[in-house]
Amino acid sequence: MHTKRLPITVGIGGATDQTSLLHWVAQEAARLAAPVRLARAVVVPAVYSDLPLPKEVVDDLIQEGERAVQAAADELAQISADLEIDTLVQSAHPAALLIELSAESRLIAIGAGGRARGPFTDSVAVALAARAQCPVAVVRSNDQTAISAEGTVVLGMDGSTSAQDTIEAAFTEASLRGAQLVAVHAWNDAEVSWDVVERFYPGSESLADVAERALAEMLAGWREKFPEVEVRRVVAHDKPKHQLLELAKTAQLVVVGSRGRGGFTGLLLGSTSQALIHHSPCPVLIVRPREER
């Protein structure tokens, strides 16, 4: 029996330069031995009438989408001639299309930033990361790290019980890339001075020690499963997004969960993940817990 190979599904938008995204996808597909599916959502504009748009107008929009996907496929084939590439053009809302396709994808890759004129924008990346049924990679335009693939893999730890899926994804990526894994636990993401707290509760274990121990416990077992991965632990008295954005400057990938420990029911994407989508200088992989998919 042959196991179906799930593809890396790539959202093709209207940005004039998707080179960084396509380079990242080509390298990731080679690492995972996965096929690539290029998907384009065609948004049919609403009209203030009960009459549908003329068929020729809709056909023109579909053809424009097909040209964009074919151009991306040609560029991807030039980057790596060995890739298995499929294409899809469908009339749909961009986020809705990719969320639907995520159910049968190894991961979703989407561009962000730049001067996109098409359907895929930062807001779509946020919606997708919050609801996709598989991990979501966000690659910002003009991101040279997506091309060079040098540096560390940074893992943002939130201390939640659902973090194991994120940890597994980070170790897997570090192993595939032969990169050092930097596991980060920022133990104060509230506007509170813990120096004052410790002054009123002397003699107890320091909060930094508690955070260090918690990080070690969260990583327990994974280092044995991935003995080839060098791990560096970072515990910081800082907001998570500050630490992760700083470490992202020398990273080739940042891996985080979709929610932080301050998340509320109904808050589908944590503030740290959103900050990384908008500002990370390297690609970001956002992993939703399996129980929420």
Side-chain angles (χ1 to χ4, degrees):
M1 179 181 295
H2 295 284
T3 303
K4 181 180 179 181
R5 291 187 304 149
L6 295 177
I8 296 175
T9 297
V10 187
I12 300 300
T16 56
D17 183 6
Q18 298 183 104
T19 299
S20 296
L21 172 63
L22 295 177
H23 270 273
W24 189 90
V25 167
Q27 294 169 5
E28 190 73 359
R31 283 188 285 261
L32 298 174
V36 176
R37 173 171 54 190
L38 304 177
R40 168 83 174 203
V42 174
V43 180
V44 178
V47 293
Y48 297 98
S49 168
D50 292 333
L51 297 176
L53 282 175
K55 181 179 182 300
E56 55 268 24
V57 174
V58 177
D59 289 344
D60 285 345
L61 292 172
I62 295 291
Q63 290 171 11
E64 179 185 0
E66 290 173 344
R67 287 192 295 269
V69 165
Q70 188 57 54
D74 292 343
E75 183 175 355
L76 191 58
Q78 288 182 352
I79 296 170
S80 178
D82 297 330
L83 293 178
E84 181 184 337
I85 304 171
D86 191 16
T87 62
L88 172 68
V89 177
Q90 185 172 313
S91 176
H93 184 277
L97 174 61
L98 292 181
I99 290 169
E100 178 184 348
L101 294 176
S102 71
E104 294 186 353
S105 297
R106 178 74 178 266
L107 66 86
I108 297 284
I110 187 171
R115 297 181 178 179
R117 59 178 177 81
F120 293 115
T121 62
D122 285 17
S123 62
V124 172
V126 169
L128 181 62
R131 295 183 179 275
Q133 302 300 303
C134 67
V136 175
V138 180
V139 182
R140 298 191 63 77
S141 61
N142 301 318
D143 183 350
Q144 293 304 306
T145 62
I147 299 176
S148 65
E150 297 178 353
T152 60
V153 172
V154 175
L155 166 62
M157 305 287 288
D158 63 12
S160 67
T161 56
S162 61
Q164 296 302 305
D165 294 327
T166 309
I167 297 172
E168 180 180 11
F171 268 95
T172 299
E173 288 290 341
S175 177
L176 291 171
R177 297 160 184 264
Q180 181 190 60
L181 178 64
V182 180
V184 184
H185 184 38
W187 50 274
N188 174 30
D189 59 358
E191 298 296 338
V192 176
S193 172
W194 288 107
D195 293 337
V196 173
V197 175
E198 289 176 338
R199 189 185 312 162
F200 282 98
Y201 297 93
S204 61
E205 184 179 15
S206 74
L207 292 169
D209 290 340
V210 171
E212 178 69 43
R213 178 163 48 81
L215 180 56
E217 290 174 355
M218 284 186 283
L219 296 174
W222 291 105
R223 301 184 74 167
E224 287 72 23
K225 293 179 182 179
F226 294 88
E228 73 282 6
V229 175
E230 177 188 353
V231 179
R232 176 163 65 93
R233 298 196 306 245
V234 174
V235 174
H237 180 184
D238 196 2
K239 288 192 173 184
K241 63 182 179 183
H242 295 162
Q243 280 293 306
L244 293 174
L245 287 172
E246 182 63 28
L247 289 166
K249 294 177 181 178
T250 55
Q252 59 177 293
L253 183 69
V254 175
V255 183
V256 293
S258 59
R259 290 192 191 180
R261 58 181 174 272
F264 298 96
T265 300
L267 182 62
L268 296 179
L269 193 66
S271 60
T272 298
S273 302
Q274 291 198 47
L276 289 166
I277 287 175
H278 294 306
H279 303 295
S280 176
C282 74
V284 179
L285 185 65
I286 301 169
V287 183
R288 288 185 68 205
R290 284 188 174 90
E291 63 267 22
E292 294 183 8
R293 298 178 193 173

